[in-house]
Amino acid sequence: MELDLQLYSVRTDLALEAKEMAQGPQKTPIPGVNEEVEEADGIKVTRLAVANDAGSQAIGRAIGNYVTLEVPALRGGDTGLQQKVSVVFAREFEHFMDRIGIDRNSSVLIVGLGNWNVTPDSLGPLVVENSLITRQFYELVPDQVSPGYRNVSAIAPGVLGLTGIESSEVVQGIIDRTKPDVIIAIDALASRSLERINTTIQIADIGIHPGSGIGNKRRGLTKEILGIPCIAIGVPTVCYASTIVNNVLEMMSRHFGQAGAGATQTKEIMGMLDDISEHERLSLVKEVLEPLGHDLIVTPKEIDEFIEEIANIVASGLNAALHEAVDPGNVGAYTH
Amino acid sequence: MELDLQLYSVRTDLALEAKEMAQGPQKTPIPGVNEEVEEADGIKVTRLAVANDAGSQAIGRAIGNYVTLEVPALRGGDTGLQQKVSVVFAREFEHFMDRIGIDRNSSVLIVGLGNWNVTPDSLGPLVVENSLITRQFYELVPDQVSPGYRNVSAIAPGVLGLTGIESSEVVQGIIDRTKPDVIIAIDALASRSLERINTTIQIADIGIHPGSGIGNKRRGLTKEILGIPCIAIGVPTVCYASTIVNNVLEMMSRHFGQAGAGATQTKEIMGMLDDISEHERLSLVKEVLEPLGHDLIVTPKEIDEFIEEIANIVASGLNAALHEAVDPGNVGAYTH
Amino acid sequence: MELDLQLYSVRTDLALEAKEMAQGPQKTPIPGVNEEVEEADGIKVTRLAVANDAGSQAIGRAIGNYVTLEVPALRGGDTGLQQKVSVVFAREFEHFMDRIGIDRNSSVLIVGLGNWNVTPDSLGPLVVENSLITRQFYELVPDQVSPGYRNVSAIAPGVLGLTGIESSEVVQGIIDRTKPDVIIAIDALASRSLERINTTIQIADIGIHPGSGIGNKRRGLTKEILGIPCIAIGVPTVCYASTIVNNVLEMMSRHFGQAGAGATQTKEIMGMLDDISEHERLSLVKEVLEPLGHDLIVTPKEIDEFIEEIANIVASGLNAALHEAVDPGNVGAYTH
Amino acid sequence: MELDLQLYSVRTDLALEAKEMAQGPQKTPIPGVNEEVEEADGIKVTRLAVANDAGSQAIGRAIGNYVTLEVPALRGGDTGLQQKVSVVFAREFEHFMDRIGIDRNSSVLIVGLGNWNVTPDSLGPLVVENSLITRQFYELVPDQVSPGYRNVSAIAPGVLGLTGIESSEVVQGIIDRTKPDVIIAIDALASRSLERINTTIQIADIGIHPGSGIGNKRRGLTKEILGIPCIAIGVPTVCYASTIVNNVLEMMSRHFGQAGAGATQTKEIMGMLDDISEHERLSLVKEVLEPLGHDLIVTPKEIDEFIEEIANIVASGLNAALHEAVDPGNVGAYTH
């Protein structure tokens, strides 16, 4: 028998995961990728800057800024923690906009990508529903808008299968008409590991690239295409069955190692599955699953509740970050 | 005391109601307004053509074609009748497009106006959800589209309060990008009388005019604005408390008359309310209700079920009318 | 012509309305009905006690206690006011339970009457969804329940058309099994006047009587039937078209009177409609509407939002009133 | 290192899976378990009868009858196939009731177990919503019920966390009051393998046992407890991450074997994971996942659509099987 080990790319929409995979278990620093980590109250914030082409190629991500919030306990349903994450997200998002030079008075179009009929893909539309929209006042009664607010509009453009129109076409049409200064695009993502689902939020200034997110966008939302900056906010809500298996095999390998089993013993237990690289292992798993049509995309059973909680966190955080008059401690009042 | 009888216009979005009001109880024919009535199986179809300025001014409607389906029994929840109405609607809509010169191969953008969070205003978005969308196939695999289908896309642009953007701006942006040949806009309407709610469907080739429909659009969707024809499909789903009262007073007046009460006796019962014109009576009612903020817009208690049924009828009919390959007898299979 | 003035009863589920109608425009006090009114912050609280048979017969209500909160501004969507109403409701409900002798440790079964598929009838099920349920902890880990909580369970029994079972039968079956000390039944009501819809909350210790509420219960939930006290909480969410008309005619009569028109002039305007009693006028209106099947039950267009707000107010108030550990100022945290 | 191989039981709610596991790869027949298989149109029907204690112990299932429909293509969204499955299900269910001696006139209470707020657990409540309910007519107008119908009522009792009451207590209370002849309980199940999710329907006459289904019922619904027969209908809608991994490892083991790799080579690739029994392998996987809280229960991303389709199939089938007057070819008309 000969193993046909095609090199599947390990699918992830998270720069942090891409970086970790590039680093390998030794966590070797990567030239051209700067990293800053801060952790408090169970919330880990990682600020990555992919500074040059070398860094970009090493981790397979565009040059740009990436902020990731990791909150493993977020799936516990603790409303106090949710509130905290929302406040930290607001702060990080505000700093992020400052850092990349978005003016505090710039007008914003929030784009909620995804399919509202598919619960794990409904994050974007849900955030749009809970966002504080003000553009109509700037249009109709511009002299009556209180200070502390910003011009914000929002759209959930739907998905190709529902509308027959690429979401990027809908967004471009609206940009042409309404001339916002910056786009904030919200999208549900696929993760490489089950534990990240609904516990991680990524902010990036590289926009949305084709093929990313759940719905497999065929065209992107980037500064090159749109002509204005596009900040992407993403939360992993699904993963492939194959990546779960691969992920667990990796955990097993690590587990038996830590449990004191020598390399020989771990190999005895797991055979080649312990030895080979992550890419090769995933190839093996996919080789088995795909022909049977069993490489399903899955989501946790509790997705209805998770998606509502995380959408509230993101919308509350955005409302506080975008409008100075909205108090980060009281952001909840503006969402359903 | 002096009655301050301002001349409120009796609000209706239906050409048929406008015509009936202009005709008065004597049903005088109106020059410049041609009418064709057909009735079968409890479905009354009225085809109005407002042919010239005289007709237009007489009934306060733009020059154009108006087809109205009236089905008083539709509120009974009879699925057999619903199926029939859907078939008649499909036939009428197809003829309507032929009559106004829409080519059978022209591409269509369906626009579902209204607010999906407000049940009586959710007709448009619901029809969009149940429409058979094909544009993506024409874009991606044009040579694989079976004959008998037409290029159809669809969008529910939301309402100003939710998006900060006029729905007409969203639609215009999408038209600029996707270049459809014709717009079909679906909208929930306000009716002058309670009995029309969810029992009447209007097709018109005059587009959507500012201030029509439930959500009080500030800009219209018309050929003048969009550059392409816009067919409007409307269903009354709400009415004002004042119009209910006015409507009932009219029914009382008619009722006592028919019951054999002479003019004197009816006047005895109803005073001036019997005498005065409809406009004056409505003014009186509004004079009382509006200062108290009590001229509420109301909808029948069973609106959730009604709106779903009528949206299915319209979507099924549209699918059959737009795609030759869709059998009008089997239209239900394409909707939820 | 002879008017066939049957004496229809003016349908209302509110004791306050029944009392006002019995009092007439002169607001004559009614022997056997004691009243206490308190008003602050736009919230009017009326505490009625129907003390004896005379009072009961005069207003057509059972002997018992009735507390009504009236908040005309509640339809404005002001979240601050909603919070206040919730706190006042919690206080009144707590006092109400004390007054009628419900022990602070008594176990409670909350019953959410109504049909979750019919928005204006979904108040009960929505309150159940947002109630803080604890009985499972008392059953499974009784020694670990923190002080400050009470044993609370909840059920939405559905309606006869959906389940084939009277909601009272479902409730009695559950009472037999779980032995709660007291029932709190939530129900959407029909109102006599449009302005009360979603602005009034009634608490009463007389349970739910057959034919009350929207869904026309055929059997009641009363202490006589259940063997334990049943407190009813009701909010008007619909009214009949006929009562709207009647209500407006009354307002017109009052309006022209106040506007300085003498009795003669008002009669000139409104004919007999001014003269006759409320019962007679309503009979007239119904005589016209009912044969046509047009005496629809209607609800405001914005019912989706209203019902969610009022369900939150009631659930938040109940949670604070039932569990000492729940802070009335922070009740929102326990509801969706 | 010493592997602490606790013998976890491989969790499955399907008798067919339990039998297959007991049989092992050699598919040895099991004494006391009779099997009948029929396959047509891509629908495989397996009728298992666990005839005696030996059979019962061998597969770890109660003595009784089990019918399983397996339709691998069901996830494809083909409405024609769905219709066919519904017809086959109706036929099998009718025969099943005959075989176990349920009279054609016996009255039925349908119990929809599960949590309507958790999509993959909402099968039971959805089937209840779409069932044809008639008991109210037998109670109110018994002499007017057309022949060909049966006395059917239905309840969705909710889950312990929402109501504070065990669903079995709610059901028992209702049985005491309404005295049905037989219970049909619908429940969403956990599966051992990802491919069964939403493609398999099980009918069994052994009722619902504690700990089965998604929500981990603590008390069962069986003839012993209820006093009347309870037929259970179950559909797997979730599985554990650990069972996915285990399932895939098994597939890998089989795959490499079939691919011509000798036992030695397969062992080289998979180490002990190939060698050990299914129980031991699952133990290994759980040993790794559980301490990290990562043995999540997952469901396919498309669960919203799947659950609606399968609920329609089951409800349509039940309606046709329970009411002779309902035509199995036209069952769809009775569901939403």
Side-chain angles (χ1 to χ4, degrees):
Chain A
M1 194 200 73
E2 207 184 75
L3 288 178
D4 176 22
L5 290 182
Q6 279 176 256
L7 277 173
Y8 290 89
S9 87
V10 180
R11 174 103 191 284
T12 176
D13 291 317
L14 292 174
L16 192 61
E17 285 189 344
K19 191 217 64 169
E20 284 171 0
M21 285 163 59
Q23 288 184 310
Q26 280 72 38
K27 314 214 167 183
T28 338
I30 296 174
V33 177
N34 305 319
E35 185 175 355
E36 208 182 289
V37 180
E38 207 177 299
E39 189 155 7
D41 293 330
I43 305 170
K44 183 175 169 189
V45 178
T46 307
R47 302 184 198 95
L48 284 185
V50 178
N52 55 33
D53 283 345
S56 171
Q57 274 167 21
I59 71 166
R61 298 282 134 174
I63 293 176
N65 296 283
Y66 303 82
V67 173
T68 314
L69 277 70
E70 294 172 276
V71 196
L74 203 48
R75 270 204 302 258
D78 172 351
T79 55
L81 178 60
Q82 289 164 22
Q83 182 91 1
K84 259 185 225 156
V85 176
S86 167
V87 171
V88 172
F89 175 77
R91 185 195 68 202
E92 288 298 324
F93 194 82
E94 220 176 319
H95 292 175
F96 191 87
M97 289 197 297
D98 285 351
R99 208 175 328 143
I100 66 172
I102 307 291
D103 189 88
R104 301 212 160 198
N105 291 317
S106 54
S107 62
V108 166
L109 171 62
I110 300 176
V111 174
L113 296 166
N115 187 341
W116 43 78
N117 293 328
V118 173
T119 306
D121 197 21
S122 64
L123 175 72
L126 280 174
V127 170
V128 162
E129 286 274 314
N130 286 309
S131 293
L132 186 59
I133 303 305
T134 56
R135 181 177 174 272
Q136 68 273 36
F137 304 117
Y138 285 86
E139 293 288 306
L140 304 178
V141 287
D143 47 342
Q144 291 171 37
V145 183
S146 315
Y149 290 93
R150 184 200 292 260
N151 184 323
V152 174
S153 53
I155 193 87
V159 295
L160 188 60
L162 290 180
T163 64
I165 311 170
E166 292 277 350
S167 48
S168 61
E169 285 181 293
V170 175
V171 174
Q172 282 184 286
I174 293 171
I175 291 175
D176 293 347
R177 288 273 152 193
T178 65
K179 310 285 183 207
D181 296 320
V182 58
I183 299 293
I184 298 174
I186 327 289
D187 202 7
L189 306 178
S191 167
R192 211 186 111 253
S193 65
L194 206 45
E195 74 240 47
R196 284 210 192 277
I197 291 188
N198 297 306
T199 64
T200 302
I201 306 173
Q202 176 179 271
I203 308 167
D205 61 355
I206 58 155
I208 302 285
H209 286 265
S212 69
I214 293 184
N216 255 318
K217 287 87 204 162
R218 289 182 31 266
R219 291 192 213 163
L221 293 176
T222 62
K223 192 172 182 177
E224 289 67 46
I225 294 171
L226 305 174
I228 54 173
C230 178
I231 305 178
I233 299 174
V235 175
T237 65
V238 298
C239 64
Y240 282 86
S242 55
T243 61
I244 294 180
V245 175
N246 188 51
N247 195 221
V248 170
L249 289 175
E250 199 186 312
M251 290 163 83
M252 287 172 80
S253 178
R254 222 182 308 138
H255 175 82
F256 297 131
Q258 289 168 353
T264 333
Q265 243 178 318
T266 306
K267 184 162 170 69
E268 203 178 302
I269 304 172
M270 298 187 59
M272 256 177 62
L273 295 175
D274 176 48
D275 253 12
I276 56 182
S277 80
E278 183 160 8
H279 278 93
E280 288 169 321
R281 195 165 50 213
L282 189 61
S283 300
L284 266 179
V285 174
K286 289 192 168 218
E287 189 188 329
V288 172
L289 282 177
E290 287 191 339
L292 302 171
H294 287 164
D295 196 5
L296 296 184
I297 302 178
V298 299
T299 191
K301 170 172 77 92
E302 300 82 357
I303 186 65
D304 302 86
E305 200 181 343
F306 288 160
I307 206 91
E308 214 173 284
E309 286 170 4
I310 202 95
N312 265 332
I313 288 171
V314 171
S316 301
L318 270 186
N319 290 342
L322 295 178
H323 306 286
E324 268 179 64
V326 177
D327 173 14
N330 184 29
V331 285
Y334 298 84
T335 65
H336 297 296
Chain B
M1 195 199 71
E2 205 184 73
L3 288 177
D4 176 22
L5 289 182
Q6 279 176 256
L7 278 173
Y8 290 89
S9 88
V10 179
R11 174 102 193 284
T12 175
D13 291 317
L14 293 173
L16 192 63
E17 286 189 343
K19 191 217 64 169
E20 284 171 359
M21 285 162 59
Q23 289 185 309
Q26 280 72 39
K27 313 212 169 186
T28 338
I30 296 174
V33 177
N34 305 319
E35 185 175 355
E36 209 182 287
V37 180
E38 207 177 300
E39 189 155 8
D41 294 330
I43 305 171
K44 183 176 170 191
V45 178
T46 307
R47 301 182 198 95
L48 284 186
V50 178
N52 54 34
D53 282 346
S56 170
Q57 273 166 22
I59 71 167
R61 297 283 134 173
I63 292 176
N65 296 282
Y66 302 82
V67 173
T68 314
L69 277 71
E70 295 173 275
V71 196
L74 203 48
R75 268 203 305 256
D78 172 351
T79 55
L81 179 60
Q82 289 164 22
Q83 182 91 1
K84 259 184 224 157
V85 176
S86 169
V87 171
V88 172
F89 175 76
R91 186 194 68 202
E92 288 298 324
F93 195 82
E94 221 175 318
H95 293 176
F96 191 88
M97 288 196 298
D98 285 350
R99 206 176 328 144
I100 66 172
I102 306 291
D103 189 89
R104 299 209 162 200
N105 292 315
S106 54
S107 63
V108 166
L109 171 63
I110 300 177
V111 174
L113 296 167
N115 186 342
W116 44 78
N117 294 328
V118 173
T119 304
D121 197 20
S122 64
L123 176 72
L126 280 174
V127 170
V128 163
E129 286 273 313
N130 286 309
S131 294
L132 186 59
I133 303 305
T134 57
R135 181 177 174 272
Q136 68 273 34
F137 305 116
Y138 286 86
E139 293 289 305
L140 303 178
V141 287
D143 46 343
Q144 292 171 36
V145 183
S146 316
Y149 290 94
R150 183 201 291 263
N151 184 323
V152 174
S153 54
I155 192 87
V159 294
L160 188 59
L162 289 180
T163 64
I165 311 170
E166 293 277 350
S167 47
S168 61
E169 285 181 292
V170 174
V171 174
Q172 283 183 285
I174 293 171
I175 291 175
D176 293 347
R177 288 272 153 192
T178 66
K179 310 284 183 208
D181 296 320
V182 57
I183 299 293
I184 298 175
I186 327 289
D187 202 7
L189 306 178
S191 167
R192 209 187 113 251
S193 64
L194 206 46
E195 74 241 46
R196 283 210 193 276
I197 291 188
N198 297 305
T199 64
T200 302
I201 307 175
Q202 176 178 270
I203 308 167
D205 62 354
I206 59 154
I208 302 285
H209 286 265
S212 69
I214 294 184
N216 256 318
K217 287 87 203 162
R218 289 181 32 264
R219 292 193 213 164
L221 293 176
T222 62
K223 192 172 182 177
E224 290 67 46
I225 294 171
L226 305 175
I228 53 174
C230 178
I231 305 178
I233 299 174
V235 176
T237 64
V238 298
C239 65
Y240 282 85
S242 55
T243 62
I244 294 181
V245 175
N246 188 52
N247 195 221
V248 171
L249 289 175
E250 199 187 311
M251 291 163 82
M252 286 172 78
S253 178
R254 225 182 305 139
H255 174 82
F256 297 130
Q258 290 168 352
T264 333
Q265 242 178 319
T266 307
K267 183 161 169 72
E268 205 177 300
I269 303 173
M270 299 187 57
M272 257 176 61
L273 295 175
D274 176 48
D275 253 13
I276 56 181
S277 79
E278 183 160 6
H279 278 93
E280 288 169 323
R281 195 165 51 212
L282 189 62
S283 300
L284 266 181
V285 175
K286 288 191 169 222
E287 189 188 330
V288 171
L289 282 177
E290 287 191 337
L292 302 172
H294 287 165
D295 196 5
L296 295 185
I297 302 178
V298 299
T299 191
K301 169 173 80 89
E302 300 83 357
I303 186 65
D304 302 87
E305 200 181 343
F306 288 161
I307 206 91
E308 216 173 285
E309 287 169 4
I310 203 95
N312 265 331
I313 289 170
V314 171
S316 301
L318 270 185
N319 290 342
L322 294 179
H323 306 286
E324 269 179 64
V326 177
D327 173 14
N330 185 27
V331 285
Y334 300 84
T335 65
H336 296 297
Chain C
M1 196 201 68
E2 205 184 74
L3 288 178
D4 175 23
L5 289 182
Q6 278 177 257
L7 277 172
Y8 289 89
S9 89
V10 180
R11 174 103 191 284
T12 176
D13 291 317
L14 293 173
L16 192 62
E17 285 189 345
K19 191 217 65 173
E20 284 171 1
M21 285 162 59
Q23 289 184 309
Q26 280 73 38
K27 314 213 168 185
T28 339
I30 296 174
V33 178
N34 305 319
E35 185 175 354
E36 207 181 289
V37 180
E38 206 176 300
E39 189 156 7
D41 294 330
I43 305 170
K44 184 175 170 191
V45 178
T46 307
R47 302 183 197 94
L48 284 186
V50 178
N52 55 33
D53 283 345
S56 171
Q57 275 167 20
I59 71 167
R61 297 282 133 174
I63 292 176
N65 296 283
Y66 302 83
V67 172
T68 314
L69 276 70
E70 294 173 277
V71 196
L74 204 48
R75 270 205 301 258
D78 172 351
T79 54
L81 180 59
Q82 289 164 23
Q83 183 91 0
K84 259 184 224 156
V85 176
S86 168
V87 172
V88 172
F89 175 77
R91 186 195 67 203
E92 288 298 324
F93 194 82
E94 221 177 317
H95 293 175
F96 191 87
M97 288 196 298
D98 286 350
R99 208 175 328 143
I100 65 172
I102 307 292
D103 189 89
R104 300 211 160 198
N105 292 317
S106 54
S107 63
V108 166
L109 172 62
I110 300 177
V111 175
L113 296 167
N115 186 341
W116 43 77
N117 293 327
V118 173
T119 305
D121 197 20
S122 64
L123 176 73
L126 280 174
V127 170
V128 162
E129 285 274 314
N130 286 309
S131 293
L132 186 59
I133 304 305
T134 56
R135 180 176 174 273
Q136 67 272 37
F137 305 116
Y138 285 87
E139 293 290 305
L140 303 178
V141 287
D143 47 343
Q144 291 172 34
V145 184
S146 315
Y149 290 93
R150 184 200 291 261
N151 184 323
V152 174
S153 53
I155 193 87
V159 294
L160 188 60
L162 290 181
T163 63
I165 312 169
E166 292 278 350
S167 48
S168 61
E169 285 181 292
V170 175
V171 173
Q172 283 183 286
I174 293 171
I175 292 176
D176 293 347
R177 288 273 153 191
T178 65
K179 310 284 182 207
D181 296 320
V182 57
I183 299 293
I184 298 175
I186 326 289
D187 203 7
L189 307 177
S191 168
R192 211 186 112 252
S193 65
L194 207 46
E195 74 240 47
R196 283 210 192 277
I197 292 187
N198 297 306
T199 65
T200 302
I201 307 173
Q202 176 179 271
I203 308 166
D205 60 355
I206 58 154
I208 302 286
H209 286 265
S212 70
I214 293 183
N216 255 318
K217 286 88 204 162
R218 290 181 31 265
R219 292 193 212 161
L221 293 175
T222 62
K223 191 171 183 176
E224 289 67 46
I225 294 171
L226 305 174
I228 53 173
C230 178
I231 305 178
I233 299 174
V235 176
T237 65
V238 299
C239 64
Y240 282 86
S242 56
T243 61
I244 294 181
V245 175
N246 189 50
N247 194 223
V248 170
L249 289 175
E250 198 187 312
M251 290 163 83
M252 286 172 79
S253 179
R254 223 181 308 139
H255 175 81
F256 297 130
Q258 288 168 354
T264 334
Q265 242 178 320
T266 307
K267 184 166 168 69
E268 204 178 301
I269 303 173
M270 299 187 57
M272 258 176 61
L273 295 175
D274 177 48
D275 253 12
I276 56 182
S277 79
E278 184 161 6
H279 278 92
E280 287 169 322
R281 195 166 49 212
L282 189 61
S283 300
L284 266 180
V285 175
K286 288 191 169 224
E287 188 188 329
V288 172
L289 283 177
E290 287 191 338
L292 303 171
H294 288 164
D295 196 6
L296 296 185
I297 302 178
V298 300
T299 190
K301 170 172 78 90
E302 301 83 356
I303 186 66
D304 302 87
E305 199 181 345
F306 288 161
I307 206 92
E308 215 174 283
E309 286 170 4
I310 203 96
N312 265 332
I313 289 171
V314 171
S316 301
L318 270 185
N319 290 342
L322 294 178
H323 306 286
E324 267 179 66
V326 177
D327 173 13
N330 185 27
V331 284
Y334 298 85
T335 65
H336 297 297
Chain D
M1 195 199 73
E2 206 183 74
L3 288 177
D4 175 21
L5 290 181
Q6 277 177 257
L7 278 172
Y8 290 89
S9 88
V10 179
R11 174 104 191 283
T12 176
D13 291 317
L14 293 173
L16 192 62
E17 285 189 344
K19 192 217 65 171
E20 284 171 0
M21 286 163 59
Q23 288 185 308
Q26 279 72 37
K27 311 212 168 185
T28 338
I30 296 174
V33 178
N34 305 319
E35 185 174 356
E36 208 181 288
V37 180
E38 207 177 299
E39 188 155 8
D41 294 330
I43 305 170
K44 184 175 170 191
V45 178
T46 306
R47 302 183 198 94
L48 283 186
V50 178
N52 54 33
D53 282 346
S56 170
Q57 272 167 21
I59 71 167
R61 296 283 133 174
I63 292 177
N65 296 282
Y66 302 82
V67 173
T68 313
L69 277 71
E70 294 174 275
V71 196
L74 203 48
R75 268 203 304 257
D78 172 352
T79 55
L81 179 61
Q82 289 163 24
Q83 182 91 0
K84 260 184 224 156
V85 176
S86 169
V87 171
V88 172
F89 175 76
R91 185 195 69 203
E92 289 297 324
F93 195 83
E94 221 177 317
H95 293 176
F96 191 89
M97 288 197 298
D98 286 350
R99 205 175 331 144
I100 66 171
I102 306 291
D103 189 88
R104 299 209 162 200
N105 292 317
S106 55
S107 63
V108 166
L109 171 62
I110 300 176
V111 174
L113 296 166
N115 186 342
W116 43 78
N117 293 329
V118 173
T119 305
D121 197 20
S122 64
L123 176 73
L126 280 174
V127 170
V128 162
E129 286 273 313
N130 285 309
S131 293
L132 186 59
I133 303 305
T134 56
R135 180 177 175 271
Q136 68 274 36
F137 305 117
Y138 286 87
E139 293 290 306
L140 304 178
V141 287
D143 46 343
Q144 292 171 35
V145 183
S146 316
Y149 289 92
R150 184 200 290 263
N151 184 323
V152 174
S153 53
I155 193 89
V159 294
L160 188 60
L162 289 180
T163 63
I165 312 170
E166 293 277 348
S167 48
S168 61
E169 285 181 293
V170 174
V171 174
Q172 283 183 286
I174 293 171
I175 291 175
D176 293 347
R177 289 272 153 191
T178 66
K179 310 284 184 209
D181 297 320
V182 57
I183 299 293
I184 299 175
I186 326 290
D187 202 7
L189 306 177
S191 167
R192 210 187 114 252
S193 65
L194 206 45
E195 73 240 48
R196 283 210 193 277
I197 291 187
N198 297 305
T199 64
T200 301
I201 307 174
Q202 176 178 270
I203 309 167
D205 61 354
I206 59 154
I208 301 285
H209 287 265
S212 70
I214 293 185
N216 257 317
K217 288 87 203 162
R218 288 182 32 265
R219 290 192 214 165
L221 293 176
T222 62
K223 192 171 182 176
E224 289 67 46
I225 294 170
L226 305 174
I228 53 174
C230 178
I231 305 178
I233 299 174
V235 175
T237 64
V238 298
C239 64
Y240 282 86
S242 55
T243 63
I244 294 180
V245 175
N246 188 50
N247 195 222
V248 170
L249 290 175
E250 199 186 312
M251 290 163 83
M252 286 172 78
S253 179
R254 225 181 304 141
H255 175 82
F256 297 130
Q258 290 167 352
T264 334
Q265 242 179 318
T266 307
K267 185 166 167 69
E268 205 177 299
I269 303 172
M270 299 187 57
M272 258 176 60
L273 296 175
D274 176 48
D275 253 12
I276 56 181
S277 78
E278 183 160 8
H279 278 93
E280 287 169 323
R281 196 166 50 214
L282 188 62
S283 300
L284 266 180
V285 175
K286 289 193 170 221
E287 189 188 330
V288 172
L289 282 177
E290 287 192 339
L292 302 171
H294 286 165
D295 196 6
L296 295 185
I297 302 178
V298 299
T299 190
K301 170 173 79 91
E302 300 83 357
I303 185 65
D304 302 87
E305 200 181 345
F306 288 161
I307 206 91
E308 216 173 284
E309 287 170 3
I310 202 95
N312 265 331
I313 289 171
V314 171
S316 300
L318 270 186
N319 290 342
L322 294 179
H323 306 287
E324 268 179 64
V326 177
D327 173 14
N330 185 26
V331 286
Y334 299 85
T335 64
H336 297 296

